[in-house]
Amino acid sequence: MTFGDQGFPYGPPDPYAPFAAEQDRIEQDRIEQDRIRRRRRNRRLAAAGTGAVLAAAVAAGAVMAADRDGGTGGGGPAAAPPTATATGSGPAVPSVDASLPSDAPSALPSLLARPVIRPEQAFPAKNVRVGDGSRYTRVDLATTTDCARGMSAELAELIEQGEPCSRLTAALFTDADRRSQITVSVLSFARVEDATRVFMMASMDPVTYQVVSLDPPPEAGMPTVPPGSAGVFRRVMTVRSVVFANGQWGDGSETGEAELTAQTEALLRHVNETVVDHEDGENR
C-alpha cells in the first residue's frame, strides 16, 4: 500500500482511496445536519442572541483547553477525524499569518538547505524499540508529494495559503499484541513558516486539521478500525516538518486511553528524534 517515488512506486490499492467515498457520505450528512441546525437557529435567534455569544466564548475556551490537554480535552479519546481529502462546503478555513521572528537562528538557512527527509530515512526500520523498551512493528508505509491526498480538506486548504507541502510520509505501527494501530506521519515543507502554520492550527483543533490514518494492508492480518472510532492525536514540530501521531485500538475500543496515549506518544517521540537528527545534519 505504498505509493510515491524513490523506491515506493504507485500500486493498487491506494491507501487513501477508501476515504474519498466515506467523506462524500459524511459530507452529505453534514450538509443535511447544517440545514436543520440553521432552521432551528433562525427560530430562536431573537430570544437567544446573548446566549449564542456566550456559547461561542465557551467553545473557544474548550478548544484552548483541548490543546493544553494534548488534543483530547482530558475527557477521553477524541473522535476520529473524517479520513478523506474531498473538498466540501464546510466552515471557511481561517487565514493564518506565520512569519519568522526577527531573532531566527543564524544557522536556519543552512538547515533548510538540507533535502527533505525521505521515507527510508524517516522510518528506517520495520521493527522498532522505543525509550521505555516497548517494541512495535511497522506494517505499512506510504509516501507522496501530493500531500492533499493524505489529509483533511481543511488542512489541505490551510496549506494552500503558503507554498506546497514537499512530502508526506506515513507509517502504520502496531504493538507486540497487535492491538493498537498507530499512524505516524511526517509532513515536510520547504519553508519554516508553512510548517508553523500547520502546527499552530493542528494544535488548536487537532481533529479538523489532521492527516489521515492508514488502514492495515490485507497481508498484515489486522482488522480495519471502525469508522468514527475514538483516538488519541498528537503532533510536534521540527525545523521544517510537523510529525503527527494518530493512535487507535484496532477494534475501535474507547477504553484503555492511558495505555493508548503512552504508545502513541512513545512512537511520536521516536520518529521525531529521527527527523530532528536528519534536519540537524546528524542523519545523512
Side-chain angles (χ1 to χ4, degrees), residues 20-95:
E22 176 66 11
Q23 177 66 6
D24 287 341
R25 183 190 64 79
I26 292 173
E27 182 63 17
Q28 292 303 316
D29 289 346
R30 188 195 61 75
I31 291 173
E32 178 61 19
Q33 292 169 4
D34 284 349
R35 185 182 64 81
I36 295 173
R37 281 196 294 266
R38 284 196 301 269
R39 191 190 319 166
R40 291 174 177 171
R41 184 176 66 242
N42 290 338
R43 284 201 301 261
R44 62 175 183 263
L45 184 59
T50 303
V53 173
L54 292 175
V58 172
V63 169
M64 298 306 296
D67 181 40
R68 288 193 295 271
D69 264 347
T72 63
T83 47
T85 61
T87 57
S89 56
V93 173
S95 177

Side-chain angles (χ1 to χ4, degrees), residues 2-3 58 66 68 109 120 126 154 161 165-166 182 202 209 222-223 230 261-262:
T2 60
F3 57 91
V58 172
R68 288 193 295 271
E120 66 273 16
K126 186 171 183 179
E154 292 84 358
Q161 296 179 16
C165 156
S166 297
I182 301 172
Y209 299 95
M222 298 167 58
T261 298

Side-chain angles (χ1 to χ4, degrees), residues 5 18 58 77 85 102 112 128 146 148 158 188 207 217 222 241 258 265 275:
D5 51 9
V58 172
T85 61
S102 57
L112 293 176
V128 301
D146 182 11
L158 177 71
S188 298
V207 175
M222 298 167 58
S241 303
E265 293 180 345
V275 177

Side-chain angles (χ1 to χ4, degrees), residues 134-238:
S134 302
R135 296 180 182 274
Y136 299 89
T137 301
R138 191 190 73 210
V139 298
D140 199 13
L141 179 65
T143 185
T144 183
T145 55
D146 182 11
C147 302
R149 295 173 58 189
M151 61 182 61
S152 67
E154 292 84 358
L155 182 53
E157 186 177 343
L158 177 71
I159 290 175
E160 289 180 358
Q161 296 179 16
E163 294 187 5
C165 156
S166 297
R167 178 174 292 279
L168 170 62
T169 300
L172 176 63
F173 292 92
T174 188
D175 60 0
D177 296 328
R178 298 177 68 82
R179 249 194 97 207
S180 61
Q181 295 187 21
I182 301 172
T183 298
V184 184
S185 305
V186 181
L187 185 59
S188 298
F189 297 85
R191 304 192 311 165
V192 177
E193 301 96 310
D194 297 319
T196 301
R197 181 183 298 105
V198 167
F199 180 73
M200 288 167 55
M201 294 305 295
S203 296
M204 290 183 63
D205 191 345
V207 175
T208 299
Y209 299 95
Q210 186 58 269
V211 296
V212 302
S213 299
L214 295 176
D215 284 338
E219 60 268 23
M222 298 167 58
T224 299
V225 179
S229 298
V232 174
F233 307 104
R234 297 292 187 269
R235 85 292 318 156
V236 66
M237 181 180 167
T238 63

